[in-house]
Amino acid sequence: MTGALVSGTGFEAAATVDLVRSAEVVPGTNLVVNTGADTINADFDLDGATPGLWGVRVTNPDSQVATLADAFTVLDTTLPDLRIAKTAEE
């Protein structure tokens, strides 16, 4: 799971958040709309999601929809995760 904070205005209490790319959709889960209606916390299960740029779509219960194109990047998890740490002084 990957957590994200979506910022904007006019979010309603039962709003949904999805990541969208062509015909692919990753629905947000564990959604929490803050009391000021300007942020939504969401979790996304990115297993199997195509690497690259994705849009973020918010849908209010009254069917108002807002999408921000190319707002989220899914990284290619098949690549090695390399890290280097200094272990000793010479």
Side-chain angles (χ1 to χ4, degrees):
M1 283 293 176
T2 298
L5 178 67
V6 179
S7 299
T9 59
F11 301 143
E12 296 177 7
T16 62
V17 179
D18 299 303
L19 300 179
V20 292
R21 178 183 167 111
S22 299
E24 292 180 80
V25 177
V26 176
T29 60
N30 303 318
L31 303 173
V32 177
V33 179
N34 81 345
T35 55
D38 60 357
T39 60
I40 302 173
N41 289 81
D43 291 331
F44 298 99
D45 181 356
L46 301 178
D47 288 342
T50 302
L53 294 172
W54 288 66
V56 177
R57 178 177 65 203
V58 175
T59 306
N60 277 333
D62 64 2
S63 298
Q64 289 182 345
V65 177
T67 303
L68 184 59
D70 299 338
F72 191 91
T73 302
V74 174
L75 301 176
D76 186 348
T77 59
T78 62
L79 298 175
D81 183 13
L82 302 176
R83 297 164 198 243
I84 299 173
K86 186 176 180 180
T87 59
E89 294 286 331
E90 287 191 32

